[in-house]
Amino acid sequence: MPIASTIQGDEAKQFMDDMLRAADRKPLTGIGDEATAYDDKDHGTFGLLFRTSGTWVAMTVVADRADNDRRLEELARKVAARM
């Protein structure tokens, strides 16, 4: 079962940098500003960090589903569009 968290505000960026320090990172487009995907295969964690309307948002999911990165990215796009 996935475990997800969402953190908003200035602490979101620090949280992601601390929690997923060893993760592979790639930039994302279309999800706010400075959007980054974090993929920590060793721990089964996938996360997204983006800034929109001046607010940082961090979203993470921990699970063994192969499509979690795609599912979380779709959710982040919905969140960013509503902010």
Side-chain angles (χ1 to χ4, degrees):
M1 173 171 213
I3 301 167
S5 62
T6 301
I7 298 174
Q8 297 180 9
D10 293 338
E11 65 275 4
K13 185 168 184 349
Q14 187 63 46
F15 169 80
M16 292 299 276
D17 285 343
D18 289 347
M19 184 178 136
L20 296 173
R21 185 175 313 280
D24 292 331
R25 298 177 189 190
K26 71 173 185 174
L28 296 173
T29 59
I31 306 177
D33 300 317
E34 301 179 60
T36 304
Y38 295 71
D39 190 352
D40 190 350
K41 292 174 182 62
D42 292 341
H43 296 101
T45 302
F46 183 80
L48 297 174
L49 175 69
F50 62 93
R51 186 172 49 84
T52 186
S53 301
T55 301
W56 283 101
V57 178
M59 303 172 74
T60 58
V61 64
V62 179
D64 57 1
R65 287 185 57 160
D67 65 342
N68 276 334
D69 57 343
R70 182 188 52 79
R71 294 171 63 222
L72 188 60
E73 196 171 320
E74 288 174 8
L75 179 59
R77 289 181 195 284
K78 291 177 184 176
V79 169
R82 292 181 182 178
M83 288 183 70

